[in-house]
Amino acid sequence: MIRCALLFLLSPLTSLASTPPPTVDDIVAAHLRALGGLDHIHSLHSFVLHGHYHEGNINGSTYVAQMRPFYRVIGSPVEPLRHQHEGYDGSAWEYYPDPGLVVRTIGAAAAATRHTSLFDDALVDYHDHGTTLEAGGATHLGANLVYILHTTLADGFREDIYVDAATWLIDGYARTVPFHAFGSNYATHMEMGDYRSEDGFLFPHSSREIDTATGHVLDESTLDSAEINPPLAPSAFSPPEWDRTLVQQMAQRLYDERTDTVAILSTYRDFRALIGTSASTADAVDFAGYQCLKMGDVETSVALLRQNVADNPQSPRAHFGLGRALQTAGKTADANAEFDRTLTLDPTFVKARTARDAQK
């Protein structure tokens, strides 16, 4: 599927037919040499990358820290409770400052974090990691001649890796991924370049993700500086800890009980009796319900968000949240009714109008 989607950008090279292509082992060996050899690669134990990120109207500085064997965190360590960030400490997590919720993810969300948490690229020690590689011939990625390696990770995830035939560094990846939480899968590819040495280790200083079907650039990143082998504690890669408010306690427990509809409704009723109903409480329940939905617990999400609407009938956000859950459950008519109620309460609620119109 990935290979077909890339045909318009990556044209096969028939002129190479007379030249015996390098084997998988040839490509991997040359790649490791380009990186300085295995001993040099293994001498990198941790790093912190500082850069910039651009996606649509989003522009900002980036902070990424990684440590062997799998630790990773994205987001500034300065005042961590004020900023959304995510990480991997053996399992994937996300932190949201509003309402103050730590989400241990599963499914596609967890997979995306897990795959980006590989400390080395997928070609380094690939046998030890349970990765399989298959030679896919040669092609062009932009102006560069690259060799294609069809790659399958130990968890079954598949991607194509493009190794530059001149430098033996990785020029890009091609993947099929879900569009945000509820969208269908679509093909993207990553282009990487501007490799520079950071204290003796090569890092790409530019990358961009592209929608393969349209050629539209989804996001772009640049690396400004890197800290090599800084001392980092494993605790730096785990979610923040703090004394939660009652609303935050409720949101956390609702998410933690997402597989049990009876339990989640009981917990909600108990906290509602303790803290009452308010806009902040309704928004926290809506957010917890959305995270349940994102993890695939649709029935629980619908039940929780239906109760949230019953307790907050004048909340546009509550009606929209229920509509989105009903839409995911395949109940289109009921979902559109909730989107209509959202727009009656708030005619400027763009997401509700977009979701309703998409069903026509």
Side-chain angles (χ1 to χ4, degrees):
M1 177 164 52
I2 293 175
R3 302 169 208 171
C4 293
L6 287 172
L7 285 179
F8 87 102
L9 281 176
L10 307 175
S11 303
L13 298 179
T14 56
S15 61
L16 295 180
S18 60
T19 304
T23 66
V24 167
D25 289 340
D26 292 336
I27 296 172
V28 171
H31 175 65
L32 297 182
R33 286 195 299 271
L35 293 176
L38 270 178
D39 288 344
H40 182 65
I41 295 169
H42 291 162
S43 69
L44 180 62
H45 304 294
S46 62
F47 57 81
V48 176
L49 306 179
H50 303 274
H52 286 83
Y53 178 83
H54 170 70
E55 178 185 354
N57 295 324
I58 301 173
N59 292 280
S61 300
T62 57
Y63 171 100
V64 179
Q66 289 194 229
M67 185 173 72
R68 288 191 187 275
F70 50 64
Y71 295 101
R72 176 179 171 92
V73 66
I74 303 175
S76 173
V78 180
E79 298 185 302
L81 292 178
R82 293 184 58 188
H83 305 286
Q84 180 178 336
H85 51 289
E86 62 184 51
Y88 191 86
D89 59 1
S91 70
W93 58 267
E94 300 170 356
Y95 166 74
Y96 298 91
D98 182 14
L101 180 65
V102 174
V103 177
R104 287 284 179 178
T105 60
I106 59 173
T113 302
R114 182 171 63 249
H115 299 148
T116 57
S117 297
L118 291 172
F119 188 83
D120 300 305
D121 67 58
L123 305 187
V124 176
D125 297 321
Y126 75 92
H127 284 299
D128 296 341
H129 295 300
T131 300
T132 60
L133 303 174
E134 177 188 353
T139 188
H140 276 112
L141 182 61
N144 297 340
L145 171 63
V146 295
Y147 294 111
I148 306 170
L149 290 177
H150 304 311
T151 306
T152 305
L153 304 184
D155 63 3
F157 178 74
R158 300 182 66 187
E159 63 184 357
D160 283 352
I161 298 178
Y162 298 95
V163 181
D164 194 293
T167 66
W168 300 104
L169 299 174
I170 293 176
D171 280 353
Y173 297 84
R175 300 161 173 161
T176 298
V177 296
F179 183 74
H180 295 300
F182 310 111
S184 57
N185 288 347
Y186 73 118
T188 70
H189 65 279
M190 181 77 71
E191 295 180 356
M192 303 156 55
D194 191 18
Y195 278 87
R196 304 181 211 167
S197 174
E198 294 287 347
D199 201 12
F201 296 91
L202 287 173
F203 288 86
H205 281 60
S206 66
S207 65
R208 59 178 188 167
E209 186 178 13
I210 299 170
D211 183 333
T212 301
T214 66
H216 175 68
V217 176
L218 301 174
D219 56 69
E220 298 178 276
S221 299
T222 58
L223 172 60
D224 298 330
S225 64
E227 303 170 46
I228 302 301
N229 287 331
L232 299 171
S235 59
F237 300 90
S238 291
E241 296 182 0
W242 74 99
D243 291 330
R244 289 178 168 86
T245 66
L246 285 175
V247 171
Q248 291 172 339
Q249 290 178 37
M250 176 191 68
Q252 189 67 60
R253 293 175 191 178
L254 292 176
Y255 176 77
D256 291 344
E257 294 175 341
R258 63 190 180 278
T259 61
D260 187 335
T261 302
V262 173
I264 201 171
L265 290 176
S266 297
T267 295
Y268 169 65
R269 285 193 295 269
D270 287 343
F271 269 93
R272 183 186 58 191
L274 180 63
I275 61 180
T277 57
S278 66
S280 61
T281 303
D283 290 349
V285 173
D286 175 76
F287 190 84
Y290 170 77
Q291 295 300 324
C292 294
L293 189 65
K294 194 170 77 172
M295 294 302 106
D297 297 291
V298 179
E299 180 181 349
T300 301
S301 178
V302 169
L304 178 63
L305 296 177
R306 196 183 294 280
Q307 187 60 54
N308 195 36
V309 163
D311 291 340
N312 302 277
Q314 299 305 308
S315 167
R317 178 172 172 176
H319 283 284
F320 174 72
L322 176 57
R324 181 167 49 189
L326 290 167
Q327 186 180 53
T328 305
K331 299 180 180 180
T332 303
D334 292 341
N336 287 337
E338 292 301 326
F339 296 145
D340 285 339
R341 292 187 185 102
T342 303
L343 292 168
T344 298
L345 293 167
D346 180 3
T348 68
F349 206 117
V350 176
K351 288 184 177 180
R353 189 175 304 280
T354 300
R356 186 197 62 186
D357 292 347
Q359 305 304 314
K360 294 180 179 179

